[in-house]
Amino acid sequence: MTRNRPIPHLTDHDRDYIRGLLVHEDEAILAFNKPSGLPSQVRGNRARNLDHLLWAFAKTNGKRPRLVHRLDVGTSGIILAAQTQPDAAALSNSLQQRDVTKTYFALVQGHFPARRSGTFNDPIARLETDGRSQIVVGHPQGKSAVTRWTIHARAGTVAFIELRPQTGRMHQLRVHLAHHGSPIIGDAIYGGAPGSRLALHAAEISLSHPRSGAPAHFEAPLPDDFKAIAAYHKLDCMVSVRGCSG
């Protein structure tokens, strides 16, 4: 959405690729189903990333959509971009004011509580030590971090879990789960069991449309690589993402 910028060249393959990820497009919002392994953004565009691929939707004057939030590179699922600067401001404000409902699904392994649902309410701090960032749970400088969770299925020490973050701290879901003894499968940073990918999927997002104010809801089904991990652990997650049997 920067005025009169030159439009970088994208190959036909990249244009087809990004349009293949598109699940919704209107005058204000683009919604994509990001695969695991594709970065949301990379400094200097040193690698293929979703933000750079948004040039496929650029206007002739060089204005283009912009991402309004991010997903970790290993996380798949719904991610939104705004068509204009006012749309971006409205969506960003909704996110900052927590006027957004997000639903994630994860496969975790460890010692989860016997009860079916609950809430994590552990402050999270992002500390800088020797030039490196570290995410710490329960630190005195931590900020409020709240995650609601529901277990849909179990198979031994593996569980298929729904997560609804009430706050938006960095790595919140990954850190909360690891702190409580059940890191996400494939999460090498926080002690997760080995997996072909980070088994975390942004399934749904609901918010007010920036133009009309009407409720807007976007969702992405569980991808095949996520379901393959579930099947390996004897959990057969349904395409609807609303259930998982094991």
Side-chain angles (χ1 to χ4, degrees):
M1 288 179 290
T2 302
R3 188 180 301 275
N4 298 325
R5 289 183 61 184
I7 300 175
H9 173 72
L10 291 180
T11 65
D12 290 342
H13 175 75
D14 279 346
R15 291 180 180 277
D16 291 343
Y17 175 75
I18 186 63
R19 290 197 172 274
L21 303 181
L22 189 66
V23 298
H24 173 85
E25 180 178 10
D26 63 33
E27 73 281 2
I29 298 174
L30 297 170
F32 299 91
N33 183 3
K34 186 189 84 67
S36 176
L38 177 67
S40 297
Q41 198 170 43
V42 175
R43 184 178 299 176
N45 290 317
R46 294 188 296 271
R48 191 189 210 197
N49 64 89
L50 181 61
D51 185 56
H52 183 69
L53 293 173
L54 290 179
W55 281 108
F57 301 90
K59 309 299 183 184
T60 55
N61 63 0
K63 292 184 178 181
R64 71 177 186 102
R66 61 180 289 181
L67 294 177
V68 294
H69 64 119
R70 308 287 185 272
L71 292 176
D72 292 341
V73 62
T75 305
S76 56
I78 286 292
I79 186 169
L80 303 181
Q83 294 273 29
T84 69
Q85 180 62 46
D87 295 326
L91 291 170
S92 295
N93 184 66
S94 292
L95 290 162
Q96 291 171 3
Q97 298 300 317
R98 302 177 186 172
D99 188 24
V100 174
T101 299
K102 297 179 180 180
T103 301
Y104 291 76
F105 289 91
L107 294 167
V108 303
Q109 187 167 23
H111 304 285
F112 223 78
R115 63 188 186 277
R116 182 174 179 270
S117 62
T119 301
F120 297 141
N121 192 0
D122 310 287
I124 294 175
R126 182 179 180 182
L127 307 178
E128 296 290 335
T129 305
D130 297 327
R132 300 180 63 181
S133 293
Q134 183 180 10
I135 309 299
V136 180
V137 177
H139 193 275
Q141 298 178 17
K143 296 181 179 180
S144 173
V146 181
T147 303
R148 295 178 181 170
W149 55 267
T150 302
I151 295 177
H152 288 293
R154 302 174 192 256
T157 60
V158 178
F160 175 66
I161 184 171
E162 178 178 328
L163 301 159
R164 289 181 176 263
Q166 308 301 295
T167 52
R169 308 304 173 202
M170 183 176 180
H171 290 184
Q172 177 176 316
L173 304 181
R174 298 165 65 180
V175 170
H176 268 170
L177 287 164
H179 180 70
H180 287 273
S182 291
I184 299 173
I185 292 173
D187 193 346
I189 294 177
Y190 297 107
S196 58
R197 53 157 289 183
L198 177 68
L200 180 62
H201 179 71
E204 302 176 5
I205 186 168
S206 299
L207 70 170
S208 297
H209 194 277
R211 302 281 182 96
S212 67
H217 177 80
F218 310 101
E219 60 182 71
L222 291 173
D224 289 342
D225 53 2
F226 185 106
K227 290 187 288 183
I229 298 173
Y232 176 81
H233 291 281
K234 311 303 182 185
L235 288 170
D236 184 17
C237 296
M238 296 169 57
V239 176
S240 69
V241 308
R242 273 303 167 196
C244 182
S245 60

